[in-house]
Amino acid sequence: ELSPQEYFSSLQPGRASLAYFSHNVSPGAQPFLEQIENSAEALQDYGISVMKVNCPKEDVSRYCGKENAIRKAYLFRGSMLIREFPTDALFDVNSIVANVLFALLFNEVKYVETLADLHNIENALKGKSNMVFAYVPATGTAEHRAVMEAAFVYGTVHQFVLTTEAALLKDTGNDEPDVSSARLLFCHCQQATDPAQPCRRTAMEQALTMLNIHRHLKLMGAPLVTEVAEDPEKVSTIHLQLGLPLVFILSQKETYEADRRTAEFVAWQLLGKAGVALLSRDLVNLNILLRSNVALKTPDEGVPIKYLVLEDTGEVITLVEDKNKVEQIQEDEEEEDEEDKENNDQDIQDDQVVEAVSRDKKRELPLEQILVLTEDTFHSALLETARTVVLFYASWEAVSLAVLQSYTEVASHLKGTGGVLLSRLNCWDWPGVCTKENVTQFPTIKIYEKGERSVMYDGMWGTEELTSFIMLSRVSCPLKLATIEEAEGYLRGELPSELSSYHHTSVLGVFSTATSEAREAFEEAGNILSGHVTMGMYFEDDALALSRKYAVSPPALLLARSGSQSVEGIGLSKQSVQDMVQMIRYASLDIFPEITVQNLPHFLQLRKPFLILFSDGDISQMESEEMLKLAKGRTRQALVACWLNLKRTPVGRGVLKAYFATVPSLPVLVWVNLHAGGQVFKFPAEQTIAEPNILSWLEKLKAGLEIPSSTLSEEDWKPPLPAYDFLQMMEKAVPEVPLHTSHHHRDTPARHPPESSGGDVTVREEPSQDTKAEKVGSPGRDLRGTAPRLAAREKQGRRHSEL
């Protein structure tokens, strides 16, 4: 707010400002002042200042005269007046921004009233630049503002033309245009080299917002057809980045020119709706390409590319524009017809968990043993039982439903177990409870002790793992032992009988009265590890005698492994809680473990090289003894010595194929560092698996004298999709709105299954060479020239099921 003298002396050459001259005694100006104040921030983005000039009562100059008060606003560039605006034309922020930008861009944005004017501008642009033509029902609207803001950014690249004349819409191809809706067309005049040829036009189908216009102009600036020569899975274009699909026309040297014309024809039809790429079979070695002539890649992460055999370009356009009408054809040579018949009523899924849940959707779960909690009953239920297990889940989400199946099996196992209550709470129905309990992902399991302390489960979701966690969490962690006899009994595995099958290693902490700090850290570590390990604690006066028996001095850990008669003693040098947790986790692991899907994550967290003995069945006693000696020796701190039984863990075959391309003769000993370099070394087959031989071989590896059998990819092992804080997406005020509709565009891990797109499809015979030749000359409507001849196949009934 300035005085007239301050305002005019502050004007800078070339800088625009919008000024409103006002007398303080003008109450009628208040609504306008509020709107112009609200527009200040938006105009500032375009370098335009907004000023209120307070006129003294005695000032009767041009701008402060009484007849002009509260009726006009003035737009200056420097000290030059550009435009006067009646205040009733500036009725809200949209109208202010639209009109001010329209005035400043008067030379860049052409306003046309007649068809002749539009054609003259179009003809002048042919062969030079493109035109953005916009129709708005009235100036000063939100659509008008969006067009002006786009013109401010792109005005030097494209010629912007604006009209409010509905009659001009008929020239855009609409016989009965909707004159109440704004429209925008991109006119490709730069490519129109023939003066008699009209400019191609691509209409923007979305509403006229700044974001949609920006998106449309980005798509119009992208190459019409992209030529690619790599795996389609790795291809990324502007279309995929903007959420549109990408269509691949599969090509080969013999039909390249026809395929190029086909791709361009399809690209013009799908401009603004999908991208088109020409993929060369000759340069990409994918077997699946031999059976297909079109591929479709959607922007959704994790969704596999669909490889199809289509007859003409009309089917490609229908595939993109109306997914429900087209039958998606994909031949799979390895599928048996019987399997197809069995799965005929099964929805096609793009996620293994979603597919499994969908397959079992008619199966009723026995949920009667699991208490349903609500916002009203949650806190009271926690106080009724010594330990309450709560499954926080979402009823629409596939992983939650899969875990609910495991949870019912756990309830069956624990039926009749005293002091444990299994319950569930649907976070979709009661998001407030889940927010207070800091549950931000589904599913989550917590165990509450009398409604006070809670422990969160972070292990595998299988029935066995869940049951073990719940049962072990019933024992105090750490368990305080009063006598040496109790401590010795604990090390011998004397736990309550119902827990005997749920623990592997007993950890006993021994502390003297002088080591209270280490004892407190051990107790806190026990709170963190509750349910995961069995921990005991002895800190009586005779603790020194107990520790001396096992050749350690307090503070120390004594470890009694399941199935082992010996007790291992470890001194506690580090006394921080986190160090102790890591140390106990590591010490609790088996010395020479069998690697399974369930325990692999625990060993990967150590970030050490793996020395793995792959075996087709149980390993021999000799091999076991030699590997155990190695594992207990000096190499234990340097690597993880383990073995993998391919009969119990069949995925090991896939691991070996990744290492050696083919599965070698078994047993085979492999050294691999997954965390640094990814090099894979194979123990010489002619040597016996004995500790001295292995140690000698490891020394050679360390010295760099061995050549790796293969080197793994450096690609990060990341989840296919990012984690989401689901509760942040929930609209608590409108709980009846399905959650998946509000975040579907963010591509969440659990999508609802699409409509079934399977079915038997008949592949017709190929046209004759003569027919094909005729069609190649046409502007690319036929696709059969792009696919190799499918010899001796008159009919194929195939159904595809993608995971």
Side-chain angles (χ1 to χ4, degrees):
E1 296 189 20
L2 305 171
S3 68
Q5 292 83 2
E6 289 170 335
Y7 172 66
F8 285 110
S9 62
S10 70
L11 296 177
Q12 299 174 21
R15 184 173 176 86
S17 61
L18 180 66
Y20 177 68
F21 296 80
S22 168
H23 291 281
N24 292 331
V25 293
S26 306
Q30 195 58 37
F32 172 72
L33 280 173
E34 289 176 6
Q35 295 301 324
I36 204 167
E37 185 176 339
N38 292 340
S39 69
E41 188 175 349
L43 289 173
Q44 191 175 18
D45 292 341
Y46 299 97
I48 302 164
S49 306
V50 178
M51 308 284 189
K52 179 190 171 191
V53 183
N54 295 319
C55 296
K57 289 182 183 179
E58 65 276 9
D59 192 341
V60 290
S61 62
R62 174 183 175 187
Y63 300 107
C64 287
K66 288 184 180 179
E67 68 279 4
N68 290 321
I70 77 165
R71 286 185 300 183
K72 287 187 179 178
Y74 301 86
L75 179 64
F76 291 86
R77 183 182 276 121
S79 57
M80 182 186 298
L81 178 64
I82 302 293
R83 181 72 55 85
E84 293 181 11
F85 295 106
T87 53
D88 58 359
L90 307 180
F91 47 87
D92 63 7
V93 174
N94 286 330
S95 62
I96 294 169
V97 175
N99 282 304
V100 168
L101 290 179
F102 197 14
L104 289 174
L105 299 174
F106 186 75
N107 294 323
E108 285 82 6
V109 180
K110 306 290 186 187
Y111 182 82
V112 294
E113 295 181 340
T114 67
L115 204 54
D117 291 340
L118 179 63
H119 288 162
N120 288 338
I121 294 172
E122 203 173 31
N123 290 332
L125 292 173
K126 285 178 181 176
K128 298 175 184 174
S129 64
N130 297 316
M131 179 174 79
V132 179
F133 172 67
Y135 161 78
V136 292
T139 57
T141 58
E143 292 87 352
H144 182 209
R145 173 185 173 179
V147 173
M148 288 301 106
E149 288 179 314
F152 192 93
V153 179
Y154 295 99
T156 56
V157 182
H158 309 301
Q159 175 63 63
F160 278 71
V161 176
L162 182 76
T163 189
T164 55
E165 300 295 326
L168 294 185
L169 275 185
K170 290 185 179 178
D171 189 53
T172 64
N174 282 5
D175 294 331
E176 296 181 6
D178 180 6
V179 297
S180 63
S181 300
R183 281 176 61 79
L184 183 138
L185 293 93
F186 188 91
C187 306
H188 306 266
C189 296
Q190 196 169 13
Q191 297 179 4
T193 51
D194 184 355
Q197 177 189 6
C199 301
R200 279 182 183 264
R201 294 172 177 176
T202 305
M204 189 179 85
E205 296 182 351
Q206 294 79 23
L208 260 68
T209 64
M210 180 58 194
L211 192 61
N212 286 341
I213 295 173
H214 167 75
R215 183 173 178 270
H216 192 66
L217 296 182
K218 291 284 277 186
L219 291 170
M220 296 304 103
L224 185 64
V225 175
T226 308
E227 294 201 24
V228 294
E230 60 177 327
D231 186 343
E233 293 283 1
K234 298 176 183 176
V235 173
S236 178
T237 67
I238 187 70
H239 303 87
L240 292 168
Q241 293 157 18
L242 292 176
L244 295 177
L246 181 63
V247 175
F248 294 90
I249 304 295
L250 276 46
S251 174
Q252 53 202 2
K253 274 190 291 190
E254 296 81 358
T255 60
Y256 173 80
E257 292 300 328
D259 299 339
R260 178 80 197 184
R261 285 197 299 271
T262 298
E264 288 176 355
F265 177 81
V266 171
W268 278 114
Q269 302 297 311
L270 295 176
L271 198 58
K273 300 172 187 174
V276 176
L278 196 62
L279 176 63
S280 173
R281 281 192 186 84
D282 306 309
L283 299 174
V284 181
N285 184 22
L286 285 179
N287 290 334
I288 200 156
L289 300 184
L290 299 174
R291 305 192 297 272
S292 314
N293 57 1
V294 170
L296 180 68
K297 183 176 186 178
T298 62
D300 303 319
E301 283 191 51
V303 178
I305 292 177
K306 294 181 177 67
Y307 292 89
L308 315 167
V309 177
L310 300 182
E311 294 291 333
D312 56 50
T313 53
E315 289 186 6
V316 182
I317 294 157
T318 308
L319 177 72
V320 172
E321 293 183 340
D322 191 350
K323 294 170 188 165
N324 294 325
K325 285 185 181 176
V326 81
E327 290 184 327
Q328 298 179 352
I329 308 160
Q330 185 180 33
E331 297 179 300
D332 188 344
E333 296 294 344
E334 298 172 2
E335 267 188 15
E336 295 296 329
D337 292 337
E338 287 75 19
E339 289 179 357
D340 294 335
K341 289 172 186 174
E342 288 172 8
N343 293 332
N344 245 3
D345 60 346
Q346 181 181 316
D347 289 343
I348 301 304
Q349 304 296 343
D350 60 357
D351 179 277
Q352 289 173 318
V353 179
V354 176
E355 194 219 15
V357 170
S358 176
R359 187 175 58 239
D360 292 346
K361 62 189 173 187
K362 294 178 182 178
R363 172 181 162 200
E364 286 192 22
L365 294 175
L367 297 170
E368 57 276 357
Q369 295 176 48
I370 301 171
L371 180 66
V372 178
L373 300 180
T374 68
E375 195 165 27
D376 298 327
T377 62
F378 178 75
H379 293 290
S380 59
L382 299 187
L383 299 172
E384 289 175 6
T385 315
R387 279 177 180 75
T388 307
V389 185
V390 184
L391 169 64
F392 298 91
Y393 70 105
S395 53
W396 51 264
E397 196 257 335
V399 180
S400 289
L401 297 177
V403 170
L404 198 54
Q405 294 187 22
S406 296
Y407 200 53
T408 58
E409 292 169 9
V410 173
S412 178
H413 281 299
L414 299 184
K415 187 177 181 180
T417 304
V420 177
L421 172 68
L422 265 62
S423 62
R424 58 189 170 102
L425 188 137
N426 187 350
C427 287
W428 177 236
D429 291 336
W430 310 105
V433 180
C434 298
T435 303
K436 286 177 185 172
E437 296 303 311
N438 197 30
V439 174
T440 57
Q441 62 186 30
F442 306 134
T444 291
I445 283 183
K446 286 188 173 187
I447 298 182
Y448 294 82
E449 290 185 18
K450 276 292 182 186
E452 297 174 2
R453 190 176 70 90
S454 67
V455 179
M456 184 182 290
Y457 178 65
D458 60 359
M460 301 289 279
W461 291 114
T463 304
E464 187 180 329
E465 292 80 13
L466 277 171
T467 307
S468 172
F469 177 74
I470 293 169
M471 293 300 289
L472 286 180
S473 68
R474 297 175 69 206
V475 182
S476 297
C477 192
L479 191 66
K480 293 176 182 175
L481 305 168
T483 66
I484 284 189
E485 288 73 23
E486 285 184 8
E488 295 275 18
Y490 172 80
L491 290 173
R492 287 194 298 270
E494 292 176 5
L495 289 169
S497 57
E498 66 267 24
L499 299 182
S500 58
S501 59
Y502 294 113
H503 83 285
H504 301 287
T505 302
S506 294
V507 179
L508 176 65
V510 182
F511 305 93
S512 64
T513 51
T515 55
S516 58
E517 189 179 338
R519 191 182 82 198
E520 289 169 5
F522 185 77
E523 288 189 70
E524 186 56 37
N527 291 335
I528 295 170
L529 294 170
S530 176
H532 296 286
V533 296
T534 310
M535 290 171 61
M537 184 168 68
Y538 189 73
F539 55 93
E540 301 301 323
D541 294 337
D542 51 359
L544 200 59
L546 180 66
S547 59
R548 278 178 181 162
K549 180 178 179 181
Y550 298 104
V552 288
S553 59
L557 295 183
L558 299 178
L559 298 162
R561 301 182 188 280
S562 180
S564 172
Q565 302 300 316
S566 61
V567 174
E568 183 182 345
I570 302 173
L572 282 176
S573 56
K574 295 180 180 178
Q575 296 185 356
S576 78
V577 175
Q578 206 52 46
D579 286 338
M580 208 167 284
V581 168
Q582 289 180 351
M583 185 178 186
I584 293 168
R585 281 189 187 277
Y586 176 58
S588 301
L589 296 173
D590 291 338
I591 294 177
F592 177 54
E594 178 188 349
I595 291 294
T596 63
V597 172
Q598 285 79 4
N599 68 17
L600 177 62
H602 299 303
F603 293 99
L604 283 175
Q605 285 174 352
L606 300 176
R607 301 193 68 79
K608 295 180 180 181
F610 277 60
L611 183 65
I612 317 175
L613 179 60
F614 289 88
S615 171
D616 193 18
D618 290 330
I619 56 178
S620 69
Q621 187 176 350
M622 185 273 289
E623 289 167 343
S624 178
E625 289 173 357
E626 292 295 319
M627 291 296 293
L628 196 58
K629 279 194 287 185
L630 183 84
K632 287 180 177 178
R634 56 190 170 89
T635 60
R636 189 178 178 204
Q637 295 300 321
L639 52 78
V640 176
C642 54
W643 69 289
L644 194 148
N645 185 342
L646 295 184
K647 284 188 176 173
R648 273 197 290 267
T649 310
V651 74
R653 293 191 183 277
V655 174
L656 283 173
K657 284 180 182 177
Y659 290 172
F660 303 112
T662 57
V663 177
S665 58
L666 300 174
V668 61
L669 186 64
V670 175
W671 185 97
V672 57
N673 193 342
L674 299 167
H675 308 285
Q679 290 183 323
V680 179
F681 293 89
K682 180 183 172 187
F683 184 70
E686 64 274 10
Q687 294 189 30
T688 56
I689 295 175
E691 184 191 17
N693 293 343
I694 298 170
L695 287 173
S696 172
W697 178 62
L698 290 175
E699 287 298 325
K700 289 182 182 177
L701 296 187
K702 193 175 178 181
L705 301 176
E706 292 284 324
I707 299 171
S709 301
S710 62
T711 302
L712 302 177
S713 164
E714 293 182 5
E715 186 178 354
D716 288 343
W717 293 7
K718 292 181 179 178
L721 295 169
Y724 287 109
D725 186 339
F726 287 99
L727 292 175
Q728 291 297 318
M729 302 175 187
M730 292 185 175
E731 299 174 26
K732 296 177 188 175
V734 200
E736 65 274 6
V737 178
L739 179 60
H740 57 268
T741 59
S742 64
H743 70 251
H744 189 73
H745 300 295
R746 296 179 65 176
D747 198 10
T748 57
R751 288 180 292 274
H752 277 252
E755 292 295 318
S756 175
S757 55
D760 289 337
V761 179
T762 301
V763 177
R764 299 179 210 136
E765 293 181 11
E766 287 202 68
S768 66
Q769 290 295 330
D770 296 337
T771 312
K772 214 187 271 187
E774 290 172 11
K775 289 192 177 181
V776 165
S778 68
R781 289 185 179 274
D782 181 49
L783 284 172
R784 295 309 296 269
T786 67
R789 182 179 297 279
L790 303 175
R793 291 187 185 175
E794 294 185 358
K795 183 177 179 180
Q796 293 184 341
R798 284 290 182 199
R799 174 187 176 78
H800 68 287
S801 177
E802 299 153 1
L803 292 180

